Amino acid sequence: MQSNIQNTKQQDMKNEMNALIMEAMKNHDSVRTETLRAIKSAFLNWQTSKENAGKELTDADEIQIIKKMVKQRQESVEQYIAAGRQELADAEKAQIDVLETFLPKAASEEDILRAFRQAKEANGWEAEKKNMGLFVKAIKAALPNADGKMVAQVVQSQLA
């Protein structure tokens, strides 16, 4: 029974991605088409890898894969700019824009600060450097869409 549910969900995801690709092709949007194909390929690579054999691709896994793709393209943008290849950097930025439409809205600095205060009150922790790990862990649990670097910066700014 579980296998049938898993296969149905994976088939739905595959059908949805194919429909998005077809729509982008009909609209002659080559950047979106290329990016959607890359997403589909990354999902397929994840599903067929040895370490994930038999596992279901969850929403969290999908988000993690897309975040990784964004990070790779951001690194490429930096390299292209350093090499004086602005047209290639612009192409990567366009793909980043498409990828980010599939990611949940990232937590803002205010959201992180609010989560910090809530963790401090709820757990009675002192705002000291020795508790930084506790605060970061609590904030990441409360705001899974928060950028790790931003969480660390906000927490560090609040500690004595």
Side-chain angles (χ1 to χ4, degrees):
M1 182 70 179
Q2 179 67 23
S3 181
N4 288 342
I5 294 171
Q6 186 175 353
N7 288 340
T8 303
K9 182 181 186 275
Q10 289 177 354
Q11 191 62 40
D12 289 346
M13 186 267 307
K14 192 174 182 179
N15 289 340
E16 182 180 344
M17 188 59 67
N18 286 337
L20 290 171
I21 291 170
M22 289 296 287
E23 180 183 334
M25 290 172 66
K26 286 179 184 176
N27 293 332
H28 302 287
D29 188 344
S30 60
V31 172
R32 186 168 174 80
T33 302
E34 181 181 336
T35 306
L36 291 170
R37 285 180 175 161
I39 293 170
K40 183 179 175 182
S41 176
F43 288 172
L44 186 61
N45 287 342
W46 186 93
Q47 290 172 326
T48 58
S49 67
K50 282 184 180 179
E51 60 269 8
N52 298 318
K55 290 184 182 176
E56 179 181 347
L57 183 65
T58 64
D59 291 342
D61 293 326
E62 290 175 2
I63 290 170
Q64 182 181 11
I65 291 167
I66 294 172
K67 280 184 178 180
K68 182 179 177 183
M69 293 174 74
V70 168
K71 184 177 180 182
Q72 289 169 339
R73 280 155 181 79
Q74 287 171 336
E75 291 169 358
S76 294
V77 166
E78 292 171 12
Q79 291 174 355
Y80 288 141
I81 290 173
R85 299 294 307 267
Q86 189 61 44
E87 71 282 358
L88 294 175
D90 291 342
E92 293 291 321
K93 287 178 186 177
Q95 286 194 7
I96 290 171
D97 291 341
V98 173
L99 288 168
E100 286 178 342
T101 64
F102 292 96
L103 293 175
K105 184 177 176 268
S108 68
E109 229 176 288
E110 294 81 30
D111 295 334
I112 295 170
L113 195 54
R114 192 175 315 110
F116 174 86
R117 290 182 186 128
Q118 288 172 349
K120 183 179 174 185
E121 290 173 17
N123 298 302
W125 295 332
E126 294 295 321
E128 299 173 344
K129 289 207 185 278
K130 68 178 184 178
N131 293 333
M132 182 169 177
L134 297 172
F135 281 112
V136 169
K137 191 173 185 179
I139 292 168
K140 293 287 280 176
L143 302 170
N145 58 336
D147 177 59
K149 286 183 182 178
M150 187 184 296
V151 170
Q153 289 172 346
V154 170
V155 169
Q156 206 164 27
S157 73
Q158 297 299 309
L159 299 180

